[in-house]
Amino acid sequence: IRVSTNWSINSMLVVGALLVTSGLLWFIISGSTAAIRFGVILGGILLALSISSLKTWKEGNSSSSYIKGQAG
């Protein structure tokens, strides 16, 4: 279970970082406010949940509530 939990946390870190980065780049290129809303804000929330989940998991506590929040 720890391996699958760690994999889930790491994959969400990558997805959140990718959303934030691509949202910023698309905003710079196009000036679209939708890029800020959907890329940066949602990606930032996902990234923050992933980081909190990783910290909780490293402390040895259950991070299942964070993973459920990330999954929606």
Side-chain angles (χ1 to χ4, degrees), residues 10-54:
N10 289 336
S11 63
M12 289 297 119
L13 278 169
V14 171
V15 170
L18 184 64
L19 278 173
V20 169
T21 304
S22 61
L24 280 174
L25 286 175
W26 189 248
F27 176 72
I28 291 169
I29 292 170
S30 69
S32 170
T33 57
I36 294 291
R37 284 193 308 257
F38 296 112
V40 177
I41 294 174
L42 292 178
I45 291 170
L46 184 62
L47 190 60
L49 277 172
S50 299
I51 291 170
S52 297
S53 179
L54 184 62

